Amino acid sequence: MSETDSANASTTPQALMGYHELLGMHVVEWEEGRAVVELTIEPKHLNRSGNVHGGVLASMLDSALSLAGLHCDVPGNIRRGMTLSLTTTFVGPARQGMLRATGTLRGGGQKTFMTSGEIVDEQGNLVAMGEGAFRRRSGSESSQGTPDPQLREPGE
């Protein structure tokens, strides 16, 4: 990760939780219409052939593509969504190093949006690409989002 990426990662709101943290994914860039998620390959990510498992790649694409349409600039607010469809094409193997998934918003409306993206390895080789359709949950249609309940103080 470059110095710029490290700086962006430290100022990027935490967008991924639970399952994503279990895999070791991190959001390193996030702005309106674009999201970048990285993952350092570990033995737990590999299949029996020694390549990154397709499920890991699909998860990275799902995260980057959905986040591309869910950015919120309002501190303490969040936008939520769900995947309606995800198409993934596996192009080449990855075995070690860092993977970088980039999602870009392509179109849609207030509720439903479409994105596309790709995963590359440290050398810039294409590993996978995908496209998806996503739906913003109620309250997430506006770029203002809704208050994040996880940021509430105890007793509120």
Side-chain angles (χ1 to χ4, degrees):
M1 187 181 313
S2 70
E3 288 180 32
T4 303
D5 292 340
S6 296
N8 285 342
S10 65
T11 59
T12 301
Q14 180 58 32
L16 305 176
M17 330 170 46
Y19 172 71
H20 307 103
E21 292 174 353
L22 180 67
L23 286 178
M25 287 190 269
H26 302 281
V27 176
V28 294
E29 295 178 34
W30 194 17
E31 61 191 22
E32 188 63 37
R34 185 172 184 275
V36 179
V37 174
E38 288 184 344
L39 175 139
T40 300
I41 299 171
E42 299 177 34
K44 69 182 178 181
H45 299 124
L46 304 179
N47 61 23
R48 293 188 318 166
S49 298
N51 298 318
V52 174
H53 190 283
V56 174
L57 300 173
S59 293
M60 289 184 72
L61 282 168
D62 187 44
S63 298
L65 271 57
S66 65
L67 288 174
L70 297 172
H71 185 263
C72 181
D73 278 329
V74 178
N77 282 7
I78 191 170
R79 295 173 81 189
R80 299 180 190 276
M82 61 183 160
T83 306
L84 299 175
S85 70
L86 178 67
T87 302
T88 305
T89 302
F90 305 106
V91 179
R95 294 191 165 119
Q96 60 185 11
M98 177 79 68
L99 295 176
R100 184 176 181 91
T102 302
T104 304
L105 182 64
R106 297 296 182 190
Q110 284 188 322
K111 278 280 198 185
T112 304
F113 63 95
M114 285 65 69
T115 58
S116 64
E118 64 183 28
I119 299 175
V120 296
D121 64 16
E122 288 180 338
Q123 291 74 42
N125 298 312
L126 185 62
V127 175
M129 54 190 178
E131 58 184 18
F134 302 85
R135 184 169 182 85
R136 294 181 182 104
R137 294 195 177 269
S138 295
S140 294
E141 302 90 285
S142 162
S143 62
Q144 302 296 306
T146 59
D148 185 350
Q150 294 186 5
L151 295 180
R152 291 187 180 160
E153 295 295 321
E156 281 189 54

